[in-house]
Amino acid sequence: MNQSKRIAQLLNKPVSLSQKFNEQTKAKKNNFGNQPPKQWPKSWKTVQYKAYARFPEINLPTPAKTFALQNVLKQRQSSRQFGLKPISKTKLSQLLHYGAGLINPQNNEKRAYPSAGGRYPLEIYLLSLKTELPTGLYHYYIRNHSLEQLPMVEDLKIKDAFEENWVSRASLLIIITAVFKRTTIKYGDRGYRYILMESGHLGQNLYLVGQSLNLGCCAIGGFVDNQINQWLDLDGNQESAIYVLALGEQP
Ligand SMILES: Cc1cc2nc3c(=O)[nH]c(=O)nc-3n(C[C@H](O)[C@H](O)[C@H](O)COP(=O)(O)O)c2cc1C
């Protein structure tokens, strides 16, 4: 009998989905797909980039600022109150570049957060509510450090996707989505764990860079997945929203 079944039996409870998932995605020795890199298929090595070539592209200003990590680590906290000042394009540029962008000109795949197998399954979308950009939905096109303006959903209501009222006072929602296959093609179902771990790394980057720019930030796990997927025209299966961060100028 496997461990989760034994625990469930002891507690006199059915095995939960999370216990099943945890059990069934445990790595076994020699079951990692850990062939030498020379034997990896092309699909494990090719990094994929999503682009919306038919939509208007907005170039972001060149990010310049550097910041002291020690200070921002000490100051980091979740903020749910935001000022009225719109977030500038310069700040958006820095946030996206240092948080999620291609930061190393010598290696055009490397980012400021780690990725299992360098598969980079995460995409970034913005819902701009109070920034120097027009209100609306955007996709971060990482290769050009630009934003692609997506069609705005008619009658988009924040409260349809979030229960907590404070979310509607944020200036910016950053929606992290995952294109699952980019990672699961190599790691199978265990790859789902890696994708969530990776989004935590990216989320922490956004918190810290946000703090360095005096932007308040709060992670949101409680969102209506399919409502956000509908805003972004995602099928919720191949690609789905997995994490949201709300940001705004500190009050
Ligand atoms: C995965 C995750 C999901 C979270 N979801 C929410 C949320 O839905 N609503 C909220 O107000 N805060 C949310 N938070 C923020 C936590 O409440 C917050 O990090 C925690 O209270 C610790 O406070 P601190 O971030 O100021 O240190 C989330 C944090 C994480 C890491």
Side-chain angles (χ1 to χ4, degrees):
M1 195 184 299
N2 71 33
Q3 203 181 4
S4 68
K5 272 198 187 138
R6 259 199 338 267
I7 293 168
Q9 209 175 51
L10 282 171
L11 297 174
N12 198 20
K13 276 186 183 163
V15 181
S16 70
L17 189 59
S18 58
Q19 281 174 316
K20 263 193 217 164
F21 177 77
N22 182 52
E23 191 58 40
Q24 288 180 13
T25 57
K26 283 182 177 165
K28 311 282 182 306
K29 213 163 176 266
N30 301 324
N31 191 22
F32 272 110
N34 54 355
Q35 296 104 307
K38 273 192 182 156
Q39 289 171 21
W40 289 358
K42 203 168 166 223
S43 60
W44 290 11
K45 293 187 282 192
T46 312
V47 174
Q48 290 174 3
Y49 298 91
K50 189 169 184 181
Y52 290 84
R54 285 185 296 120
F55 294 131
E57 187 177 5
I58 300 166
N59 291 315
L60 290 165
T62 310
K65 196 180 157 188
T66 56
F67 46 88
L69 186 57
Q70 191 183 349
N71 292 340
V72 295
L73 279 168
K74 277 192 196 160
Q75 290 160 355
R76 188 217 62 83
Q77 60 176 355
S78 296
S79 311
R80 297 171 188 83
Q81 281 175 355
F82 307 102
L84 296 176
K85 199 174 145 201
I87 302 179
S88 69
K89 266 196 209 168
T90 311
K91 286 195 179 184
L92 282 180
S93 170
Q94 285 165 190
L95 186 67
L96 292 170
H97 176 74
Y98 292 113
L102 299 174
I103 34 142
N104 183 348
Q106 267 73 49
N107 179 342
N108 61 12
E109 282 166 6
K110 275 252 179 285
R111 313 195 187 178
Y113 61 92
S115 173
R119 304 300 310 128
Y120 301 109
L122 306 179
E123 293 287 332
I124 290 198
Y125 292 84
L126 270 55
L127 173 56
S128 165
L129 298 166
K130 209 184 307 136
T131 76
E132 280 180 355
L133 299 170
T135 300
L137 293 163
Y138 299 84
H139 171 252
Y140 179 47
Y141 182 43
I142 185 167
R143 276 184 139 169
N144 285 0
H145 184 56
S146 63
L147 291 170
E148 295 158 322
Q149 191 170 11
L150 308 181
M152 185 54 175
V153 174
E154 245 179 70
D155 208 22
L156 183 152
K157 290 195 195 78
I158 299 293
K159 67 175 171 38
D160 290 344
F162 302 95
E163 275 196 348
E164 295 168 272
N165 287 334
W166 62 265
V167 181
S168 54
R169 292 190 290 275
S171 303
L172 174 70
L173 297 183
I174 295 189
I175 299 159
I176 301 177
T177 71
V179 181
F180 299 107
K181 195 84 187 178
R182 291 183 191 164
T183 296
T184 56
I185 198 164
K186 180 170 182 189
Y187 298 108
D189 287 335
R190 188 176 172 82
Y192 191 79
R193 297 187 188 207
Y194 298 163
I195 290 169
L196 299 184
M197 291 174 195
E198 190 169 327
S199 73
H201 289 292
L202 172 53
Q204 177 75 348
N205 275 4
L206 294 167
Y207 257 100
L208 294 179
V209 181
Q211 179 61 51
S212 81
L213 300 166
N214 290 319
L215 297 176
C217 179
C218 187
I220 307 178
F223 57 86
V224 182
D225 309 50
N226 283 342
Q227 180 62 71
I228 294 193
N229 290 333
Q230 196 189 324
W231 291 347
L232 300 176
D233 196 26
L234 305 176
D235 68 359
N237 180 17
Q238 306 286 314
E239 180 176 357
S240 188
I242 58 166
Y243 203 12
V244 179
L245 293 110
L247 293 108
E249 284 290 344
Q250 285 171 1

